[in-house]
Amino acid sequence: MQQDVKPEKVVLAVAKAIEAKFTRGDWLALAYETGCADRVRDHPRLLRSLDWNDEDYSGHVLDMVEEILRPSGRTVGDGPYRIATRAIDAANFAVAERMLGLPEWLAQYEPVLFSDIYGSQVADVGVDELQAAAKELGLADVDEHAARIRRGIRDDPAQAIGSAKELVETVLKAVLGLHGNGPETKKDIPYLLKEANIALGLDPAGAKGSEPGAVQRRKALGALTNLVNSIAELRNAGFGTGHGLSQRPTLDVATARLAVSAAVTAATFYIEAHAAEQA
């Protein structure tokens, strides 16, 4: 979430996503995780209007989201003209964001609110195309990495770098049929990239090694490989999550974005290349 986003935008975005996605059980889960169980259960109309699909449900959702995300402080004015002056509760927002898959939902259904809350920097890293390609192959783990990348690229570059490395590993291992946590799966990214190229016939001796444009494709893959390898190096140097460092060096957003974009591009390419082989 951007630092200067208006709290009202956050409340509206969460309310819209809840109205579209939540069941009674989801409401209760959110209430218990945020310490608002009494307020949700005791609300005279919220759950009842959901159960009966009443027209006033959206208004009750907005009111309750306001209470959950901005639980302290004061308001100015009365009735429908009151103006809230409270800040967003970061912990409660994190719970709602996770339960709703908020960045992904907003990117698909409310792109303006997505931009307001997360910034355009996150929206154009190519994650949408990656998730669409992964869905075709049934790679569910990719969605988890993509969600972390969306959240981290601006607010937590270290998380984005760590997730980008895991994303590439996940995709390459899927292409190579390496599943589980056995010793045979403990391969580094340079090895995985090389073996994936061989498996897909993209190496010079492979089935596609003499196709028109093959030389240029290998050059492009070589450049992309160097970028992807740098992600693993950044992560191993402490700029990404995964090594339990207590004093992690900081990485600027521009460099994190470059690394993440390379990872997303590489992952999408190998998913689509693998899909073409399976067709």
Side-chain angles (χ1 to χ4, degrees):
M1 183 170 64
Q2 298 190 97
Q3 296 298 317
D4 57 349
V5 63
K6 293 182 178 180
E8 292 82 1
K9 295 281 189 179
V10 178
V11 170
L12 179 60
V14 171
K16 282 179 173 288
I18 283 178
E19 186 176 358
K21 300 182 70 172
F22 263 23
T23 64
R24 169 183 279 264
D26 294 328
W27 262 118
L28 293 175
L30 175 65
Y32 279 107
E33 287 204 43
T34 56
C36 300
D38 289 342
R39 276 180 282 178
V40 169
R41 284 199 311 264
D42 296 342
H43 192 285
R45 288 288 303 158
L46 177 67
L47 297 180
R48 179 181 173 84
S49 62
L50 167 63
D51 292 339
W52 290 92
N53 196 28
D54 290 339
E55 293 182 357
D56 61 350
Y57 176 59
S58 59
H60 298 310
V61 171
L62 198 57
D63 287 342
M64 185 55 64
V65 170
E66 176 82 15
E67 287 191 41
I68 292 173
L69 295 188
R70 307 172 78 181
S72 60
R74 65 187 185 85
T75 57
V76 178
D78 297 310
Y81 302 104
R82 68 186 185 277
I83 301 174
T85 61
R86 298 169 291 178
I88 293 295
D89 183 300
N92 284 359
F93 173 71
V95 173
E97 184 182 44
R98 170 177 53 80
M99 290 185 64
L100 290 163
L102 189 64
E104 295 74 31
W105 189 86
L106 290 177
Q108 182 173 359
Y109 297 105
E110 295 284 346
V112 174
L113 276 174
F114 175 90
S115 181
D116 288 340
I117 295 172
Y118 294 103
S120 59
Q121 282 191 336
V122 186
D124 60 352
V125 294
V127 175
D128 290 338
E129 292 78 6
L130 167 67
Q131 289 180 283
K135 186 177 181 180
E136 289 295 319
L137 290 185
L139 298 179
D141 289 347
V142 170
D143 278 340
E144 297 179 12
H145 298 310
R148 295 190 190 105
I149 288 171
R150 283 191 187 277
R151 291 194 294 267
I153 187 63
R154 184 180 181 93
D155 295 334
D156 191 352
Q159 177 66 69
I161 291 293
S163 296
K165 177 182 180 292
E166 292 172 5
L167 165 68
V168 174
E169 288 180 341
T170 296
V171 169
L172 293 175
K173 287 179 180 179
V175 168
L176 295 171
L178 298 176
H179 305 294
N181 297 309
E184 72 280 0
T185 70
K186 305 299 183 181
K187 307 296 183 182
D188 59 18
I189 283 182
Y191 173 88
L192 293 171
L193 285 166
K194 179 180 178 181
E195 292 301 306
N197 287 339
I198 293 173
L200 296 173
L202 300 173
D203 63 311
K208 300 178 181 179
S210 59
E211 289 181 349
V215 173
Q216 292 77 15
R217 178 172 56 202
R218 284 197 296 275
K219 288 181 178 179
L221 278 175
L224 183 59
T225 295
N226 287 334
L227 276 172
V228 172
N229 285 335
S230 73
I231 298 168
E233 293 170 3
L234 281 168
R235 187 259 193 178
N236 292 337
F239 290 100
T241 55
H243 284 300
L245 298 182
S246 60
Q247 292 185 333
R248 190 180 307 282
T250 58
L251 186 68
D252 62 282
V253 172
T255 302
R257 178 176 167 74
L258 173 64
V260 166
S261 295
V264 169
T265 299
T268 304
F269 171 79
Y270 282 104
I271 288 173
E272 292 180 341
H274 179 60
E277 283 289 298
Q278 301 301 307

